[in-house]
Amino acid sequence: MSVRVRFAPSPTGFLHIGGARTALFNWLYARHTGGQFILRIEDTDTARNTQAAVDVILNGLRWLGLDWDEGPLTSDATGPSHGGRGPYFQSQRKDIYQRRVEALLSRGLAYEHDGAVKFKMTREPVLIDDLIVGHVRRELTDREALDPDFVIVRSDGQPVFHFVNVVDDLEMGITHVIRGEDHLSNTAKHITLFRAFDVSPPKYAHIPLILNADGSKMSKRDQGASLATYMDEGYLPEAVVNYLVLLGWSPKDNREILSIPELIERFDLPQVLRHNARFDMAKLQWMNGEYMRTLPDDRFYELCVHTFARAGVDTNRFPLPYVKAALDTCKGKLKTFSELPGYAGFYFNEVTQFDAAAAQKDFTPENKPRLQRLREAYAALPEFKAAPLEACLKSVAAELGVKAGVLVHPVRLACTGKTAGPSLYHLLEVLGREKSLARLDAALARM
Ligand code: GLU
């Protein structure tokens, strides 16, 4: 039987990284097994159900590259379609739920109660054979034992989560329910509903939760909890995917950097880890840096230009060779694209502000004649290239009887406004003689 899995988010206006990971595990499992990945928007809570909230999910999945396989045909090419197929929306499936409620009512497995419909829950323990968690025996809690039956349609006519979730999994022929462990406590109800429809339940695979670094439960407000943060801050989706998959899954050889095709080949449910995963921002940043390092040039330039544009810097005003040379000095130096405008903005903006503490230390009356001397030597250099710029600075320092650092720091500060950044001699070469000397002059005027 071919695998059919689904991601079934509720549109809350927020895509939690735990949700993104659930989507990823489902997608990988479908791609690994050659099965189908279905996207189902669980939007029966009409109060919260807005197009904007749905878009957050669709944009997040698209950004991660998690394409879904089927759904109703949609005519709206700019809307939620994917290959002409939109996701399923529970809000569009009311008739199906209605038919299923009637079926239970007519067989005496559900009954009306105060205008609502209640399902007759089994009084027996329910055994769950979870692919990740193992065997779980679920008995009614003391409170449930007082009244084990539960509402499946509220008195206002709205079918509830447990019911629509199961009806859809059944109607859609879902074979594996891969979802967060927070739903394990619902699974006895779900299995009992499947049985009421005379259908054997799908296989369940409950993924352990993602915790904060300190072991506390990750909430919406915690750092890094929202996928949108990574989209906004210029992370690479392939790095985020790679990081997310390792949050709760590990390949047998413990390798860490794995491409999507490798993940598809290796991903399987038995290797999903049983214990909760801890979110580690530093590791994600490291991984993003690794992916940035190996990015093909064209994509690196494109993403840099995009990042600058978002920060209000139009790099198109500069000749392309200048832009590329400037960006080349940033390669391998950044962990995320969002660092770029701060790191390399001086190539495209005048330097009007200087790191205050450094200015106090480096722009001193004592340093002024030294910088003046270097400025003259730089003006006279036949070739304004990194190697001669370095040799020249060193020889001026020797001539003045000071360490190279005495010149390096004020030159960097004068030309970039900062204490750290790309390699000094390379950035001077890229800036060129004219800009570099003008910036040195401006700094000298302040000293
Ligand atoms: N709408 C539910 C959620 O977002 C889906 C649970 C499930 O995957 O079965 O948590």
Side-chain angles (χ1 to χ4, degrees):
M1 186 178 45
S2 164
V3 163
R4 291 175 62 80
V5 291
R6 85 306 193 267
F7 177 50
S10 309
T12 59
F14 183 85
L15 186 50
H16 191 277
I17 57 150
R21 183 191 57 165
T22 297
L24 174 61
F25 281 18
N26 276 284
W27 182 86
L28 283 172
Y29 192 60
R31 296 294 171 262
H32 175 74
T33 55
Q36 300 283 303
F37 173 65
I38 289 159
L39 175 61
R40 179 172 84 222
I41 307 293
E42 301 212 322
D43 60 347
T44 48
D45 181 353
T46 37
R48 290 203 292 187
N49 168 21
T50 64
Q51 184 60 44
V54 171
D55 285 342
V56 168
I57 296 167
L58 301 185
N59 292 337
L61 294 182
R62 287 199 184 105
W63 185 74
L64 291 169
L66 308 184
D67 51 338
W68 52 91
D69 292 318
E70 61 174 54
L73 267 177
T74 157
S75 54
D76 179 5
T78 57
S81 65
H82 188 96
R85 302 245 165 214
Y88 291 101
F89 288 90
Q90 287 189 326
S91 56
Q92 295 168 359
R93 299 167 58 81
K94 295 204 171 100
D95 295 352
I96 296 171
Y97 308 134
Q98 183 60 34
R99 254 191 287 121
R100 291 287 180 172
V101 172
E102 278 158 17
L104 291 182
L105 284 169
S106 70
R107 292 168 54 213
L109 297 169
Y111 57 93
E112 290 186 59
H113 177 81
D114 288 343
V117 179
K118 286 181 94 173
F119 174 70
K120 275 192 189 158
M121 179 62 180
T122 176
R123 274 63 177 161
E124 300 302 317
V126 176
L127 300 176
I128 306 165
D129 187 8
D130 192 280
L131 292 172
I132 297 167
V133 181
H135 293 283
V136 179
R137 182 187 154 97
R138 180 82 163 83
E139 296 186 39
L140 295 174
T141 62
D142 288 351
R143 227 182 97 227
E144 284 169 342
L146 298 174
D147 180 11
D149 301 345
F150 60 91
V151 170
I152 54 174
V153 182
R154 289 199 302 252
S155 54
D156 63 4
Q158 282 285 344
V160 307
F161 159 71
H162 300 299
F163 184 70
V164 292
N165 184 268
V166 165
V167 167
D168 279 341
D169 283 345
L170 187 164
E171 293 268 344
M172 294 174 184
I174 298 302
T175 58
H176 295 71
V177 168
I178 306 170
R179 62 183 175 189
E181 201 175 313
D182 46 334
H183 285 291
L184 186 59
S185 57
N186 298 324
T187 305
K189 285 191 173 94
H190 296 182
I191 288 176
T192 310
L193 274 166
F194 272 104
R195 292 193 178 134
F197 289 115
D198 280 327
V199 174
S200 34
K203 294 197 166 69
Y204 288 95
H206 284 95
I207 319 167
L209 300 181
I210 300 177
L211 304 178
N212 289 313
D214 65 4
S216 61
K217 196 171 171 243
M218 198 171 206
S219 84
K220 224 173 138 155
R221 288 165 304 281
D222 286 314
Q223 193 210 19
S226 166
L227 187 74
T229 318
Y230 308 108
M231 298 168 68
D232 292 346
E233 290 184 3
Y235 281 77
L236 291 169
E238 53 270 45
V240 174
V241 163
N242 193 155
Y243 178 73
L244 283 181
V245 77
L246 296 180
L247 271 182
W249 175 84
S250 144
K252 289 192 188 95
D253 57 6
N254 280 321
R255 264 181 56 203
E256 294 208 293
I257 304 283
L258 294 137
S259 68
I260 305 274
E262 284 175 306
L263 288 174
I264 289 174
E265 194 192 312
R266 289 154 170 249
F267 185 84
D268 207 353
L269 295 173
Q271 288 105 284
V272 174
L273 306 172
R274 181 60 204 93
H275 52 80
N276 289 329
R278 290 201 182 197
F279 184 76
D280 182 347
M281 187 60 119
K283 180 157 177 192
L284 171 54
Q285 287 179 350
W286 166 78
M287 190 164 276
N288 199 65
E290 291 300 299
Y291 273 86
M292 283 181 74
R293 205 185 299 284
T294 55
L295 216 53
D297 278 353
D298 283 349
R299 180 128 186 270
F300 180 71
Y301 296 142
E302 188 191 318
L303 288 167
C304 286
V305 165
H306 179 73
T307 306
F308 270 121
R310 282 177 45 120
V313 181
D314 180 11
T315 53
N316 294 322
R317 292 184 295 117
F318 297 82
L320 194 57
Y322 176 82
V323 178
K324 287 186 172 179
L327 298 177
D328 283 341
T329 66
C330 305
K331 274 206 174 145
K333 305 284 177 90
L334 304 169
K335 289 202 185 76
T336 66
F337 280 98
S338 61
E339 295 167 26
L340 185 67
Y343 189 79
F346 66 87
Y347 284 121
F348 308 105
N349 288 321
E350 288 309 316
V351 176
T352 50
Q353 274 175 347
F354 301 90
D355 180 291
Q360 208 165 31
K361 217 168 104 247
D362 297 325
F363 289 169
T364 57
E366 217 185 350
N367 272 346
K368 188 169 180 176
R370 295 172 178 151
L371 203 59
Q372 186 71 52
R373 171 74 196 94
L374 180 70
R375 191 240 179 258
E376 281 154 23
Y378 272 1
L381 262 189
E383 267 205 318
F384 213 77
K385 290 256 153 60
L389 284 161
E390 177 170 8
C392 175
L393 183 139
K394 288 190 170 147
S395 88
V396 170
E399 172 196 316
L400 296 171
V402 295
K403 286 195 186 134
V406 173
L407 294 172
V408 163
H409 297 301
V411 173
R412 177 183 288 285
L413 190 63
C415 293
T416 71
K418 311 227 169 197
T419 56
S423 142
L424 178 65
Y425 308 109
H426 290 94
L427 77 83
L428 291 173
E429 174 180 331
V430 173
L431 278 176
R433 194 189 309 262
E434 200 184 320
K435 262 189 212 160
S436 300
L437 295 184
R439 289 183 186 187
L440 289 178
D441 288 340
L444 281 164
R446 299 169 59 103
M447 292 169 85

